Short mmCIF file of all heavy atoms in Angstrom, two decimals:
data_model
loop_
_atom_site.label_atom_id
_atom_site.label_comp_id
_atom_site.label_asym_id
_atom_site.label_seq_id
_atom_site.Cartn_x
_atom_site.Cartn_y
_atom_site.Cartn_z
N GLU A 38 -14.62 21.43 12.45
CA GLU A 38 -15.85 20.82 12.88
C GLU A 38 -16.87 21.75 13.44
O GLU A 38 -18.04 21.72 13.15
CB GLU A 38 -15.48 19.71 13.89
CG GLU A 38 -16.71 19.07 14.49
CD GLU A 38 -17.60 18.31 13.45
OE1 GLU A 38 -17.03 17.85 12.48
OE2 GLU A 38 -18.79 18.28 13.71
N ARG A 39 -16.29 22.74 14.26
CA ARG A 39 -17.26 23.82 14.65
C ARG A 39 -17.90 24.58 13.51
O ARG A 39 -19.08 24.94 13.49
CB ARG A 39 -16.41 24.73 15.65
CG ARG A 39 -16.02 24.11 16.89
CD ARG A 39 -15.07 25.03 17.69
NE ARG A 39 -15.77 26.23 18.14
CZ ARG A 39 -16.23 26.44 19.34
NH1 ARG A 39 -16.17 25.49 20.23
NH2 ARG A 39 -16.81 27.61 19.69
N CYS A 40 -17.05 24.85 12.50
CA CYS A 40 -17.50 25.60 11.34
C CYS A 40 -18.56 24.78 10.62
O CYS A 40 -19.68 25.35 10.13
CB CYS A 40 -16.40 25.90 10.38
SG CYS A 40 -15.12 27.07 11.05
N ASP A 41 -18.41 23.51 10.47
CA ASP A 41 -19.36 22.59 9.92
C ASP A 41 -20.73 22.55 10.62
O ASP A 41 -21.77 22.64 10.01
CB ASP A 41 -18.80 21.18 9.75
CG ASP A 41 -17.69 20.95 8.80
OD1 ASP A 41 -17.41 21.93 8.00
OD2 ASP A 41 -17.03 19.91 8.88
N ARG A 42 -20.60 22.56 11.92
CA ARG A 42 -21.85 22.61 12.81
C ARG A 42 -22.58 23.88 12.56
O ARG A 42 -23.86 23.88 12.50
CB ARG A 42 -21.51 22.19 14.23
CG ARG A 42 -21.09 20.87 14.55
CD ARG A 42 -21.17 20.52 15.95
NE ARG A 42 -20.55 21.42 16.90
CZ ARG A 42 -19.18 21.27 17.30
NH1 ARG A 42 -18.51 20.33 16.95
NH2 ARG A 42 -18.69 22.16 18.11
N TRP A 43 -21.85 25.02 12.50
CA TRP A 43 -22.39 26.26 12.31
C TRP A 43 -23.14 26.35 10.95
O TRP A 43 -24.28 26.82 10.81
CB TRP A 43 -21.39 27.40 12.52
CG TRP A 43 -22.05 28.77 12.57
CD1 TRP A 43 -23.35 29.06 12.44
CD2 TRP A 43 -21.34 29.96 12.70
NE1 TRP A 43 -23.53 30.43 12.52
CE2 TRP A 43 -22.25 31.01 12.69
CE3 TRP A 43 -19.99 30.30 12.77
CZ2 TRP A 43 -21.94 32.33 12.81
CZ3 TRP A 43 -19.66 31.58 12.98
CH2 TRP A 43 -20.57 32.67 12.98
N SER A 44 -22.48 25.87 9.90
CA SER A 44 -23.04 25.83 8.61
C SER A 44 -24.34 24.97 8.60
O SER A 44 -25.35 25.41 8.01
CB SER A 44 -21.98 25.16 7.65
OG SER A 44 -20.96 25.95 7.36
N ALA A 45 -24.35 23.81 9.24
CA ALA A 45 -25.45 23.12 9.30
C ALA A 45 -26.70 23.75 10.06
O ALA A 45 -27.80 23.68 9.63
CB ALA A 45 -25.19 21.70 9.94
N ALA A 46 -26.29 24.50 11.11
CA ALA A 46 -27.34 25.22 11.88
C ALA A 46 -27.91 26.30 11.05
O ALA A 46 -29.13 26.47 10.99
CB ALA A 46 -26.74 25.74 13.11
N LEU A 47 -27.11 27.04 10.26
CA LEU A 47 -27.66 28.02 9.41
C LEU A 47 -28.50 27.45 8.27
O LEU A 47 -29.58 27.97 7.93
CB LEU A 47 -26.42 28.77 8.70
CG LEU A 47 -25.69 29.74 9.63
CD1 LEU A 47 -24.36 30.20 8.88
CD2 LEU A 47 -26.44 30.90 10.08
N GLN A 48 -28.16 26.31 7.76
CA GLN A 48 -29.03 25.70 6.69
C GLN A 48 -30.34 25.31 7.32
O GLN A 48 -31.37 25.38 6.63
CB GLN A 48 -28.20 24.50 6.09
CG GLN A 48 -27.04 24.97 5.17
CD GLN A 48 -26.26 23.78 4.66
OE1 GLN A 48 -25.87 22.93 5.43
NE2 GLN A 48 -26.07 23.90 3.39
N ARG A 49 -30.29 24.74 8.56
CA ARG A 49 -31.55 24.42 9.16
C ARG A 49 -32.53 25.62 9.42
O ARG A 49 -33.71 25.50 9.44
CB ARG A 49 -31.35 23.64 10.49
CG ARG A 49 -30.86 22.14 10.41
CD ARG A 49 -30.87 21.47 11.71
NE ARG A 49 -30.10 22.12 12.74
CZ ARG A 49 -28.76 21.86 12.88
NH1 ARG A 49 -28.18 21.03 12.13
NH2 ARG A 49 -28.03 22.49 13.84
#
Side-chain angles (χ1 to χ4, degrees):
E38 174 61 29
R39 291 171 65 99
C40 296
D41 291 345
R42 288 196 311 265
W43 190 0
S44 293
L47 289 169
Q48 289 175 314
R49 285 191 301 274

